[in-house]
Amino acid sequence: LRLLECEVSRELADAITGAARDELTPQELADPAIVRQTILRQLDQAGVSMIFASAIDASGLGVAVRDRLVRAAEGRVRRG
């Protein structure tokens, strides 16, 4: 999960990643799934209203990630 500078202000990106680092233990920081969930929660708490995600593989872990993003979007998914 990357926070793109062209889409997110540098200050917000730094605040989100800093909050995640402060919240998680070193073991949790090594787990991409935990980091992803923490970053998404931090984005939500910061009031971010839109997240752009590239296509996610519909197999393996991709199924769970895609499902979580779609459920979090509460039906407001735009494709294109």
Side-chain angles (χ1 to χ4, degrees), residues 18-80:
R21 282 191 199 111
D22 291 345
E23 179 181 333
L24 300 176
T25 66
Q27 294 80 13
E28 291 169 329
L29 284 168
D31 186 329
I34 292 173
V35 172
R36 184 174 36 255
Q37 287 303 113
T38 302
I39 294 290
L40 289 171
R41 186 175 58 257
Q42 292 292 335
L43 287 167
D44 185 49
Q45 290 173 356
V48 172
S49 61
M50 188 177 297
I51 298 173
F52 293 90
S54 59
I56 299 171
D57 189 21
S59 64
L61 181 60
V63 173
V65 172
R66 180 186 290 183
D67 178 64
R68 185 74 175 121
L69 286 171
V70 169
R71 285 189 294 131
E74 297 175 343
R76 300 170 301 203
V77 175
R78 297 181 188 173
R79 291 176 170 76

